[in-house]
Amino acid sequence: MTLELNKVNVGGLDWLIRPNSSDIKSINEVVGKHSYEKQGISLNSGDSWIDLGSNIGAFTVLAASKGCKVTAYEPDPVSWRMTQENLKINGLQAEVINAAVTTTTTNNASFYVNSARKNYWRNSLVKQWRGGKTIKVKTLNFKDCLYTGAHIKMDIEGSEFPILESLDYTKIGNLVFEWSFDVDPSIPRFKQVIDKLNAEYKKVSYGKFNETHDKWQPSWFPPCKTIYCIK
């Protein structure tokens, strides 16, 4: 299948994007607004980063452009190829693996792609959004993907939860991830993970909300929080 792609420049980097899709939104968020470079998180030359859920490569390309060594994982074969192409057109290199990262290993997992609304940045192993399609993908156990000292960026639409609950934080560096309450609205589950993070990191930051509720309230928007963890 031949994709219709546009070329844009954001943050001094070139990008191939699908027209009228979430691609430009993800680039503007990560590169334009530096959504993962806040609260002490920085991308420094020589750092090693693992990008769980590269999408079309916004974080991977940005980190590589700053001299970081990046290993990226992306299950959607189209987004995986676009990550590679976006590296290539900027003369950058990173290892990009066509697989999802979760707590199990299989070659036949259901993966939900939001192709109907072109909202490709919310693709998920866990939740099937309205519209879109289901494809089969390879999954890898996160324990086989991590290496000591690597920093981690994680945005995998609900697959973070069991990883974060069983991750050995002593073996990794800084961590930045997005928690999706529209996948699991449980605030106690979120707080248990935050308590674990606070025990391992010097600084854990995120936008505050009323945590006295048991569930995320439908009127609260957006239903996601980015958490920044500094060693």
Side-chain angles (χ1 to χ4, degrees):
M1 179 179 67
T2 301
L3 286 178
E4 179 188 357
L5 298 174
N6 292 339
K7 188 176 181 179
V8 298
N9 188 283
V10 179
L13 296 164
D14 290 325
W15 305 91
L16 296 175
I17 62 169
R18 290 162 285 197
N20 304 311
S21 75
S22 59
D23 291 347
I24 188 61
K25 298 176 186 177
S26 65
I27 293 168
N28 284 334
E29 281 291 323
V30 176
V31 181
K33 297 180 180 179
H34 303 281
S35 59
Y36 294 117
E37 297 175 274
K38 298 178 179 180
Q39 301 297 326
I41 294 287
S42 58
L43 303 176
N44 302 309
S45 182
D47 285 352
S48 294
W49 277 90
I50 297 171
D51 183 359
L52 302 185
S54 74
N55 192 250
I56 65 167
F59 181 85
T60 291
V61 172
L62 178 63
S65 75
K66 295 189 175 186
C68 299
K69 174 188 175 183
V70 187
T71 303
Y73 295 85
E74 172 53 49
D76 177 19
V78 176
S79 295
W80 169 68
R81 292 189 186 96
M82 290 180 68
T83 297
Q84 293 176 309
E85 288 300 315
N86 281 323
L87 285 162
K88 183 178 179 180
I89 63 174
N90 287 287
L92 300 169
Q93 292 185 339
E95 183 179 12
V96 187
I97 298 167
N98 187 201
V101 176
T102 182
T103 55
T104 59
T105 301
T106 179
N107 289 319
N108 199 36
S110 294
F111 186 70
Y112 308 113
V113 180
N114 283 345
S115 55
R117 295 182 293 168
K118 295 187 176 182
N119 234 356
Y120 302 110
W121 62 356
R122 304 278 349 244
N123 298 346
S124 177
L125 281 173
V126 179
K127 182 168 181 176
Q128 185 171 13
W129 308 99
R130 185 178 301 174
K133 63 181 180 179
T134 302
I135 62 175
K136 296 296 183 179
V137 300
K138 178 181 180 180
T139 67
L140 300 174
N141 190 307
F142 75 98
K143 293 180 180 179
D144 297 325
C145 303
L146 307 182
Y147 53 93
T148 301
H151 306 303
I152 299 175
K153 168 262 174 181
M154 188 169 4
D155 187 2
I156 45 181
E157 304 303 330
S159 294
E160 297 95 340
F161 307 152
I163 292 176
L164 291 163
E165 288 165 338
S166 55
L167 184 57
D168 183 352
Y169 295 103
T170 64
K171 294 184 178 180
I172 63 172
N174 295 335
L175 169 67
V176 57
F177 64 94
E178 188 171 281
W179 187 283
S180 301
F181 286 100
D182 52 356
V183 176
D184 185 344
S186 172
I187 292 175
R189 186 179 190 183
F190 171 78
K191 289 170 67 175
Q192 287 177 351
V193 169
I194 294 299
D195 287 344
K196 188 175 181 181
L197 291 168
N198 278 323
E200 297 291 345
Y201 286 88
K202 291 181 180 179
K203 181 181 178 183
V204 178
S205 306
Y206 58 93
K208 301 304 180 183
F209 61 95
N210 188 348
E211 297 182 19
T212 63
H213 292 265
D214 286 334
K215 292 185 177 181
W216 184 267
Q217 301 300 293
S219 61
W220 297 350
F221 187 83
C224 303
K225 289 291 178 181
T226 302
I227 293 84
Y228 305 87
C229 307
I230 306 296
K231 278 287 176 76

